[in-house]
């Protein structure tokens, strides 16, 4: 290995291009699968809300259009408005199709980062594949929200940090990389200040861990200290930048934070990346969202494998290195080990906070993808090493790993898209349902309309309506007192049966709308105040 | 100026030597304060007050400069000398503790400003110091109250200028519902702004509005804007002030936000001298304590400079219908009003807001007894409650506000000339409870029946909980008209000579907690036609007057009478009084028809009706109802009964036994047959091809007999035999000749039933009738298709998707497998 950080290449740039092209193809296939499986009619509530925020920014021409604003950053709205303006696509198409295609961009920063961390092109490719096939990660980045950019920017920031650390003895390169890091960090903050804050804290912790153990593990003649302190300053400055953004530059972020009652809550929210509103439907339906516990476990196998394998590898490495058995680790290995430890610690604290119920209760689902970013190269690096030097016959080992990864890729894709044959939380909708929703929007102004057992059609309606809130008052299960109109579609019927819940329609209700596949039922008025 | 420092040192030293003596303020000690100038310098003055404003001895330090030299040592001072810029420090108890500081200054635009500092850090004193140029400086957070008088403090000699803009910054009761004072902080951001206006500069404030800005969620239900208007410009003069017209010497326990008296106005600023804190900044313009005023307490903010729709108490208005005869109001109207889609009902309506406006209104009036002195608060005689969905359309300018509300002068007509959905009348017969806000027995109807009432108005539920209006507090009479659908009218009944609500369906008069009169309107016209006297729920006497007949029943005798319809028509009928003439006329009629009989004397009331009586001794009646313009009832003649006056109604041939009697075009009696019940059950299948609803079972019970079926229980079972399960049970009354239908959901059956069993039981649980019925109507059942396959069916499984998944799997394999050959070369040895 070259201690200055460049990776030796045997067959040049073209091999790397093939690797990246393969990963891009995989990402494209995932996006294509969503379109093919659901005919593009696949959405969820966060995408609906993001569409709403984009619409407000586009209509007002302001980053803070008013009281209704995305509280954690303006980046995604601004980018979306820019893309709509230059491309001429509609907000619906951008959120419905564009957001799927844009997953592809993640491949480059991920691959570059993993190549730096693992010092192996193969391991980088494998790690990127592992990350891409993580259902928790995949679900987040498939949606039409800031997440595909915040995750990509996190990868980019980590890459720039590692590169700059390796370039600490080349001032000009170091300065250029730090400048690029600041730009990437600011972009990350602008997309989501909470995610940025927790990420920066984790990086700072990782760097601190590296500083503590590197002298003992590396026994390097070149001290890491000067570079370390410079990078620690950079990270600290980035945290200050986050603070300034939250409390001065982007006022909605401050207000959102002040909703939390105590200082401890606020600090935890900043450090652990939690919004004040838990609206992630993916998180609200963990086990109940699937047909059975075994189905859930199989669908999330990639998560568990990554969690268990990475933890085991990290512990094994810790014991091996700290007891000074075996070969001395490289600087890249120690850096990866330290970052993994820090990100895992943040994830562990998140789970503890979740169980305490102190905050919104879905932290682990927000922090797991961040954790996966570091766990993937750890596992990939170890697997590469085993495959290269391990005792297993190589052909069989490759075949086993290949089949295993292929299965995980399929399962993760099914999990990330909430495959309706296996899951109970459906994100698809039918075109006839949207026609009925549009009718309700036109005819039921200010009246409550039950759209289903969850917010599925409400979210889809917001996207179909280009981010405009419906004129009806959306209701879902259990129907609120006074709701007198109900959308009953084939999908709602099937959902009711799947969930074991009755449809909220009575025998003598009137059908006020019917398009053959979807009806809107109305309670029969029994007093003069009912209509 | 140098002496200022010495005066402050004197103040502080006195405190050291005298100590913090407890400042006692009590009602006994609150004699008028008398202050004498004890010390006088060119720029300061010390007043010695004995008795003082809080106790036997207080002291006031005034730091000038003074605009006049006329005040000398030893002079008695009634009010503060004119100081444009200066400070007044109040030392209650003369113990060297500064309890309040009042700093007068002038703004650059000439406006006079008074800044009031009190103790905000809880040490019981206001920290006063002098600065380097010997100016008095208050080292306390604040000011807690800042008053700006753009035109100065005085209109002219001794006439206070009530054109004021006031900011309240801290825990001071300056709003009607400032309940949670912990939300108020003295932090430089005032929570309440008050604007008082005296437009004709006569020293009487005409109106004021207050804006309350608390750090609470947008939809929280607290008053955001309060408006008080005196229409006649006759606000009672301020009395009880101390040295400064706005500063009260009131003991803290007597201080209130609302003006407590109809006859004078306390100074608005009240201070707790013991705690050195301003406690209240009360009304300048009375909300309630007047007879020509109104107020609006709006939960929705009413911003200045734009038309805004007020809600909740909008408006609460007081009127003098006596043409100045009484100081206290003789009529009031309150509307607890909510706008269409009013978000402030979101909690009770669970966010399904009401599409229409909601009016929950009452209209009370009174007739004070002649010759008696005015009580502390009005005792209201009559109160009409009205519920509807009328929306205000008029815009009323009030200072800088433009409020959508009912104009004060039009308000009584707006109420009485519109059709209302629901009405009630409450009469204070003997309770005689004073209340500045009307009769509290049922209060406002929707508030009384909350939360179901608002849900009913919003269309969320099908019925109002009217059973809560079946009783009323002792001393009150209440009547309800659940389907009024008319403008409100009252009438004087010629039967009981009391005022009733036209269109009332029923009523109750709680005589003393044990005895009561119950009213019914059997024929659904505008007038009460049944009076029942009960003691501890036992019916003792009953009178019915319907069409050309009257009926009286005691415990063991029955009387009938042919009456002339004209003689039983109302003595007088009108709208509730809206002006002096109507008020006077109604009073005249009430005085003329003053009831002379006690309310329980129903037999005498019946006897007083013109006409000859038929009387049965040893007889009872039951099941009285209206029929074809007359009465129908069951007459039970006991063995040995006697009758007199039978010829009056051409009654012949009655023997002991039970009869169904019709009294319309004469007396017709048929021997009573037992009730004959028929039962029919049918499945009301949803009829929708799409819905997997289990459907309804509709059960009709018909009574073809002559006797009414009372308290029968209808029980429905799904299936037959021991495996059957009960779907539900209902208690019913099925009057003779009528049919009653009820529906049962089949959804509660374990599986869709093919057969239902229906049973009728009497009040003792004995089976009267039982029927088993096959459900012929097709009831769609759950699809046999599994949910998963239905989902797939609904969605479809495009073959392309599967191929893409295969390609993805291939990609994954290629990532692992295809690069195998390169790995060994790449990895470092």
């Amino acid at each position: 290995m070259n201690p200055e950080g460049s990776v030796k290449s045997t067959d040049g740039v073209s091999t790397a291009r093939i690797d990246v092209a393969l990963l891009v193809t995989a990402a494209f296939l995932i996006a294509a699968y969503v379109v093919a499986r659901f005919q593009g009619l696949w959405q969820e509530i966060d995408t609906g809300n993001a569409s709403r925020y984009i619409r407000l920014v586009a209509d007002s021409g302001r980053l803070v259009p008013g009281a209704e604003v995305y509280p954690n950053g303006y980046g995604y709205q601004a980018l979306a408005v820019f893309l709509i303006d230059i491309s001429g696509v509609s907000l619906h198409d951008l959120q419905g199709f564009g957001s799927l295609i844009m997953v592809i961009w993640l491949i480059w920063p991920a691959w570059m980062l993993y190549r730096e961390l693992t010092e192996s092109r193969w391991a980088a490719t494998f790690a990127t594949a592992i990350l891409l096939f993580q259902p928790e990660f995949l679900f987040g980045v498939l949606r039409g929200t800031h997440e595909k950019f915040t995750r990509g920017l996190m990868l980019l920031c980590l890459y720039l940090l590692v590169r700059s650390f390796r370039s600490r003895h080349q001032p000009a390169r170091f300065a250029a990389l730090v400048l690029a890091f600041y730009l990437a960090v600011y972009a990350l903050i602008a997309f989501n200040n909470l995610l940025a804050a927790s990420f920066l804290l984790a990086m700072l912790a990782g760097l601190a861990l590296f500083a503590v153990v590197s002298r003992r593990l590396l026994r390097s003649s070149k001290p890491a200290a000067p570079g370390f302190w410079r990078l620690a300053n950079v990270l600290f400055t980035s945290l200050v930048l986050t603070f300034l953004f939250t409390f001065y530059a982007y006022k909605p972020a401050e207000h959102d934070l002040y909703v939390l009652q105590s200082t401890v809550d606020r600090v935890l929210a900043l450090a652990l990346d939690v919004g004040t509103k838990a609206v992630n439907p993916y998180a609200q339906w963990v086990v109940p969202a699937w047909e059975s516990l075994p189905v859930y476990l199989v669908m999330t196998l990639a998560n568990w494998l990554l969690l268990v394998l990475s933890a085991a590898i990290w512990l094994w490495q810790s014991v091996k290195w700290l007891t000074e058995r075996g070969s001395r680790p490289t600087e890249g290995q120690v850096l990866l080990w330290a970052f993994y430890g820090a990100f895992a610690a943040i994830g562990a604290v998140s789970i503890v906070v979740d169980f305490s119920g102190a905050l919104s209760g879905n932290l682990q689902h927000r922090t797991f993808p961040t954790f996966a970013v570091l766990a993937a190269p750890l596992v990939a690096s170890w697997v590469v090493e085993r495959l290269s030097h391990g005792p297993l016959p190589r052909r069989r080992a490759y075949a086993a790993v290949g089949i295993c990864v292929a299965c995980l890729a399929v399962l993760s894709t099914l999990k990330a898209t909430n495959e309706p044959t296996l899951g109970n939380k459906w994100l698809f909708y039918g075109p006839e349902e949207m026609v009925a929703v549009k009718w309700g929007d036109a005819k039921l102004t200010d009246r409550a309309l039950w759209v289903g057992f969850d917010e599925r059609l409400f979210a889809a309606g917001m996207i179909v309506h280009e981010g405009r809130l419906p004129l009806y008052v959306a209701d879902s299960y259990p129907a609120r007192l006074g709701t007198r109109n109900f959308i009953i579609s084939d999908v709602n019927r099937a959902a009711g049966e799947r969930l074991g819940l009755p449809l909220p329609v009575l025998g003598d209700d009137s059908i006020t709308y019917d398009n053959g596949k979807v009806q809107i039922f109305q309670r029969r008025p029994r007093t003069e105040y009912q209509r | 100026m140098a002496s200022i420092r010495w005066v402050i040192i004197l103040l502080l030293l006195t405190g050291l030597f005298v100590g913090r003596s407890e400042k006692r303020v009590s009602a006994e000690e609150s004699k008028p304060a008398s202050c004498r100038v004890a010390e006088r310098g060119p720029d300061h003055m010390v007043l010695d007050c004995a008795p003082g404003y809080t106790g036997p001895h207080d002291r006031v330090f005034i730091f000038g400069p003074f605009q006049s030299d006329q005040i000398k040592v030893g002079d008695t001072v009634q009010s503060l000398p004119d100081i444009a810029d200066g400070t007044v420090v109040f030392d209650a108890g003369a113990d060297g503790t500064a309890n309040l500081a009042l700093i007068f200054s002038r703004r650059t635009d000439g406006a006079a400003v008074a800044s009031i500092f009190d103790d905000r850090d809880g040490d019981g004193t206001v920290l006063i110091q002098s600065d380097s140029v010997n100016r008095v400086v208050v080292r306390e957070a604040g000011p807690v109250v800042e008053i700006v008088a753009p035109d100065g403090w005085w209109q002219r000699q001794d006439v206070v200028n009530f054109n004021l803009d006031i900011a309240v910054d801290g825990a001071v009761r300056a709003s009607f519902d400032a309940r949670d004072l912990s939300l108020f902080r003295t932090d430089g951001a005032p929570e309440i702004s008050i604007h008082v206006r005296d437009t004709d500069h006569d020293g009487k404030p005409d109106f004021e509005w207050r804006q309350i800005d608390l750090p609470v969620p947008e939809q929280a239900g607290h008053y955001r804007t309060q408006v008080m208007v005196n229409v006649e410009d006759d606000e009672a003069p301020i009395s009880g002030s101390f040295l400064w017209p706005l500063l009260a010497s009131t003991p803290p326990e007597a201080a209130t936000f609302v003006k407590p008296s109809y006859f004078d106005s306390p100074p608005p600023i009240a201070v707790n001298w013991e705690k050195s804190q301003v406690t209240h900044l009360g009304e300048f313009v009375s909300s309630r304590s007047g007879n020509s005023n109104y107020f609006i307490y709006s939960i929705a903010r009413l911003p200045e400079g734009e038309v805004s729709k007020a809600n909740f108490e909008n408006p609460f208005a007081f009127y003098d219908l006596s043409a100045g005869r009484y100081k206290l109001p003789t009529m009031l109207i309150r509307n607890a009003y909510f706008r269409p889609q009013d978000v402030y009902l979101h909690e009770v309506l669970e966010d399904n807001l009401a599409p229409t406006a909601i009016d929950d209104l009452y209209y009370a009036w009174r007739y004070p007894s002649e010759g008696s002195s005015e009580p502390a608060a009005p005792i209201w005689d009559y109160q009409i409650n009205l519920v509807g969905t009328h929306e205000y359309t008029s815009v009323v300018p009030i200072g800088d506000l433009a409020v959508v509300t009912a104009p004060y002068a039009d308000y009584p007509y707006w109420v009485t000339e519109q059709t209302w959905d629901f009405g009630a009348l409450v009469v204070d017969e003997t309770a005689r409870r004073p209340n500045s806000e009307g009769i509290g027995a049922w209060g406002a109807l929707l508030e009384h029946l909350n939360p179901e009432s608002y849900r009913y108005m919003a269309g969320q539920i099908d019925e109002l909980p009217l059973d809560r209006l079946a009783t009323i507090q002792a001393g009150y009479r209440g009547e309800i008209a659940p389907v009024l659908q008319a403008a409100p009218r009252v009438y004087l009944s010629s039967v009981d000579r009391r005022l009733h609500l036209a269109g009332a369906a029923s009523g109750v008069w709680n005589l003393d907690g044990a005895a009561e009169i119950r009213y019914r309107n059997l024929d659904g016209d505008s007038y009460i036609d049944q009076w029942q006297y009960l003691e501890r729920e036992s019916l003792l006497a009953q009178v019915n007057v319907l069409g050309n007949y009257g009926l009286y029943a005691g415990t063991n005798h029955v009387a009938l009478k042919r009456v002339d319809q004209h003689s039983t028509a109302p003595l007088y009928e009108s709208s509730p009084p809206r002006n002096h003439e109507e008020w006077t006329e109604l009073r005249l009629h009430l005085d003329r028809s003053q009831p002379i009989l006690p309310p329980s004397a129903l037999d005498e009331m019946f006897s007083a009706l013109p006409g000859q009586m038929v009387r049965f001794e040893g007889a009872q009646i039951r099941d009285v109802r209206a029929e074809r313009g007359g009465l129908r009832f069951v007459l039970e003649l006991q063995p040995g009964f006697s009758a007199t006056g039978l010829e009056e109604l051409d009654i012949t041939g009655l023997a002991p036994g039970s009869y169904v009697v019709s009294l319309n075009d004469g007396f017709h009696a048929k021997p009573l047959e037992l009730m004959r019940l028929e039962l029919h059950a049918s499945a009301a299948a949803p009829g929708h091809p799409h819905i997997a609803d289990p459907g309804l079972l509709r059960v009709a019970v018909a009574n073809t007999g002559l006797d009414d079926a009372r308290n029968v229980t209808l029980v429905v079972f799904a299936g037959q035999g021991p495996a059957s399960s009960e779907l539900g049970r209902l208690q019913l009354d099925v009057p003779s000749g009528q049919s009653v239908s009820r529906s049962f959901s089949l959804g509660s059956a374990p599986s869709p039933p093919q057969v239902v069993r229906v049973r009728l039981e009497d009040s003792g649980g004995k089976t009267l009738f039982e029927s088993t019925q096959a459900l012929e109507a097709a009831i769609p059942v759950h699809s046999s298709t599994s949910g998963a396959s239905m989902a797939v069916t609904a969605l479809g499984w495009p073959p392309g998707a599967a191929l893409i998944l295969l390609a993805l799997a291939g990609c994954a394999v290629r990532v692992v497998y295809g690069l195998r050959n390169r790995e060994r070369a790449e990895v470092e040895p």
Side-chain angles (χ1 to χ4, degrees), chain A residues 8-28:
Chain A
K8 283 184 181 178
S9 173
T10 55
D11 50 356
V13 177
S14 62
T15 313
R17 282 184 180 159
I18 291 169
D19 289 354
V20 172
L22 196 61
L23 292 166
V24 166
T25 305
F28 178 79

Side-chain angles (χ1 to χ4, degrees), chain B residues 125-378:
Chain B
T125 181
V126 182
L127 184 58
I128 309 282
Q129 292 176 339
S130 64
D131 67 5
S132 56
V133 289
N134 275 334
R135 280 186 310 216
V136 178
V137 178
V138 179
R139 304 283 184 206
E140 197 77 43
V144 68
V145 176
E146 185 172 80
I147 306 173
V148 177
D151 311 323
W153 299 114
W154 307 96
Q155 294 285 3
R156 49 192 175 276
Q157 186 69 31
D158 293 337
V159 177
V160 178
N161 180 8
F162 281 108
N163 288 292
L164 305 169
D165 295 304
I166 303 168
V168 180
D169 181 14
V172 174
R173 293 207 179 275
S175 157
F176 183 74
D177 79 335
R179 283 168 292 210
D180 191 359
L181 286 178
S182 64
L183 292 170
F184 291 72
R185 298 197 194 296
T186 307
D187 54 4
E191 288 88 4
I192 299 181
S193 61
I194 304 168
H195 309 276
V196 189
R197 296 292 180 266
D198 173 13
T199 51
D200 57 357
H201 305 284
D202 63 351
K204 295 174 184 169
D206 303 327
F207 58 86
E208 66 169 287
W209 73 94
R210 299 185 179 215
Q211 302 283 12
I212 298 99
D213 187 11
L214 294 180
V216 293
E218 191 60 31
Q219 295 186 341
H222 80 95
Y223 301 134
R224 286 173 176 78
T225 304
Q226 298 176 11
V227 182
M228 281 77 89
V229 180
N230 185 319
V231 177
E232 292 293 329
D233 193 17
D234 61 353
E235 202 62 32
I238 282 182
S239 64
S241 60
F242 168 69
L243 289 177
W244 199 45
L246 305 184
L247 189 61
S249 58
T250 323
E253 62 273 15
T256 55
F257 167 73
V258 173
K259 284 188 185 180
S261 164
Y262 286 81
F263 307 104
D264 56 19
S265 300
I269 301 170
V271 180
N272 182 332
W273 297 103
E274 205 169 311
K275 292 185 174 174
S276 306
Q277 284 184 341
V278 176
T279 59
H280 292 77
L281 208 164
E283 297 172 342
F284 288 82
V285 178
S286 176
S287 56
R288 297 153 178 80
S289 309
N291 64 13
S292 50
N293 54 314
Y294 70 92
F295 69 88
I296 296 169
Y297 286 172
S298 180
I299 300 171
R301 183 169 306 291
L302 311 178
E304 286 89 351
E306 60 183 78
V307 174
S308 48
K309 294 182 178 180
N311 63 359
F312 197 53
E313 288 181 311
N314 175 26
F316 198 150
F318 300 84
Y319 295 83
D320 172 24
L321 300 186
S322 71
R325 193 162 163 188
Y326 303 108
K327 186 76 179 169
L328 274 57
T330 43
M331 195 263 276
L332 67 79
I333 311 172
R334 174 190 189 259
N335 192 2
Y337 172 81
F338 287 94
R339 307 158 300 175
Q341 298 289 335
D342 202 311
V343 294
Y344 296 108
L345 282 174
H346 77 103
E347 209 165 305
V348 68
L349 298 182
E350 297 178 7
D351 290 327
N352 266 345
L353 302 179
T356 61
I358 296 177
D359 304 279
D360 183 13
L361 187 145
Y362 60 73
Y363 188 112
W365 70 98
R366 70 189 188 103
Y367 293 107
S369 303
E370 293 296 335
S372 61
S373 60
E374 292 263 56

